[in-house]
Amino acid sequence: MNKILRGVIKFRQTIREDLVKQFEDIKNNPKPTAVMFTCMDSRMLPTRFTQSQVGDMFVVRNAGNMIPDAPNYGAFSEVSVNTEPAALELAVKRGASGICGCPKNFDVASPMDHWVRRNGFNSVKRLNERLHRGPSLMKYDSEVSPSQSFEAMIDPMDKLPVEDKLSQINVLQQLINICSHEFLKEYLESGRLHIHGMWFDIYKGEDYLFSKDKKRFVVIDENTVTDLLAELNSRYPLPEDKDGAVAFAQSN
């Protein structure tokens, strides 16, 4: 995490200004002309080797660069509920810039509607709770790995639009979803694996890290990075090169 946070600071000091200008140019109307499926191999840098700019391309990464076969796709047979078919539909058929919430008009033949409804329900439920109760503490409990449970206050100053509130909630929900996998329990409970939630504001080019101490997302900048590193080092004192992998749930 030390390397990642320092990377965010370097981003702020170098290419952030140019990227923010690109974000401003396309605003809410990106027109991507390609969708690329690639392996999650850390050596693969698709946006670099294609020299893609903001809004140019959808990128879907997974283990092994695999896309499920769907010979029975259609309204009267099983629809593949995987991220890859959902991404294909989003890129080819809908051309949207993002997904906000569960679909209101559900299409039984739509992989994307199935994907979002099945996997986004808890995030939308928490958003409704946040909107109803206001900026109060919300509990995120992990039954499989209790040590990973935490509390969070989403947008305590109530300044973010609804879609950004949902986006932050969704990041934290993914942390709990990661913890639900039994094969990770021994790594999480022994401290060999740590998970962190980051959120990116695409309009301002700001990276945020969820602070379990402060129970909220904190912008990563020159004024906060020292305290954030101190919190991480107090919670995860072992050197990261001996401590194992780091899992992320990041959204924009």
Side-chain angles (χ1 to χ4, degrees):
M1 280 301 293
N2 289 4
K3 182 178 180 180
I4 290 170
L5 293 192
R6 291 191 179 101
V8 171
I9 298 301
K10 185 176 180 180
F11 159 79
R12 292 177 60 84
Q13 297 171 345
T14 54
I15 65 174
R16 174 174 173 250
E17 184 176 349
D18 178 60
L19 282 181
V20 169
K21 184 179 183 305
Q22 292 183 46
F23 295 142
E24 290 175 347
D25 288 342
I26 64 173
K27 295 188 182 297
N28 291 321
N29 190 36
K31 290 182 171 57
T33 57
V35 55
M36 176 177 287
F37 290 87
T38 182
C39 185
M40 61 186 291
D41 189 316
S42 60
R43 297 167 294 183
M44 294 291 291
L45 301 171
T47 56
R48 288 196 186 180
F49 64 66
T50 61
Q51 286 295 285
S52 297
Q53 300 299 308
V54 172
D56 283 351
M57 181 171 64
F58 291 98
V59 179
V60 183
R61 307 184 68 156
N62 64 21
N65 186 31
M66 298 180 186
I67 303 171
D69 184 21
N72 297 318
Y73 176 85
F76 301 103
S77 58
E78 183 178 356
V79 176
S80 179
V81 186
N82 292 284
T83 187
E84 294 80 14
L88 273 173
E89 183 183 357
L90 179 65
V92 176
K93 184 178 178 180
R94 303 201 182 191
S97 61
I99 301 174
C100 288
C102 294
K104 295 180 180 179
N105 299 313
F106 184 78
D107 181 354
V108 296
S110 165
M112 194 180 82
D113 284 1
H114 279 281
W115 171 257
V116 175
R117 176 171 286 190
R118 176 176 295 182
N119 297 288
F121 175 78
N122 285 331
S123 294
V124 173
K125 181 180 178 181
R126 287 184 181 275
L127 173 66
N128 290 332
E129 177 187 343
R130 165 62 180 82
L131 296 177
H132 176 71
R133 296 176 54 188
S136 57
L137 285 176
M138 302 173 68
K139 292 186 177 181
Y140 287 80
D141 293 323
S142 172
E143 296 181 4
V144 175
S145 299
S147 67
Q148 302 304 304
S149 300
F150 59 89
E151 293 182 322
M153 185 175 292
I154 302 297
D155 189 19
M157 303 303 292
D158 220 9
K159 293 183 177 180
L160 295 176
V162 171
E163 56 268 24
D164 285 349
K165 287 182 172 65
L166 174 59
S167 188
Q168 288 193 353
I169 287 170
N170 192 52
V171 171
L172 300 184
Q173 184 60 48
Q174 304 322 304
L175 299 183
I176 294 301
N177 291 353
I178 291 171
C179 297
S180 70
H181 294 278
E182 289 279 356
F183 71 91
L184 294 177
K185 180 178 180 178
E186 63 175 293
Y187 297 93
L188 290 166
E189 293 301 293
S190 66
R192 286 182 288 164
L193 173 68
H194 307 307
I195 57 175
H196 305 280
M198 294 181 70
W199 182 74
F200 185 64
D201 185 334
I202 61 175
Y203 299 105
K204 297 180 179 178
E206 299 276 18
D207 259 301
Y208 290 74
L209 179 69
F210 180 71
S211 164
K212 288 188 175 179
D213 285 356
K214 294 181 173 61
K215 303 181 179 182
R216 61 182 174 86
F217 282 95
V218 177
V219 66
I220 305 168
D221 61 21
E222 292 78 359
N223 296 319
T224 64
V225 68
T226 299
D227 286 344
L228 288 171
L229 286 171
E231 175 186 337
L232 292 173
N233 289 333
S234 68
R235 284 182 171 272
Y236 319 111
L238 294 178
E240 285 198 311
D241 58 347
K242 298 179 182 179
D243 208 20
V246 177
F248 281 89
Q250 183 168 6
S251 180
N252 58 20

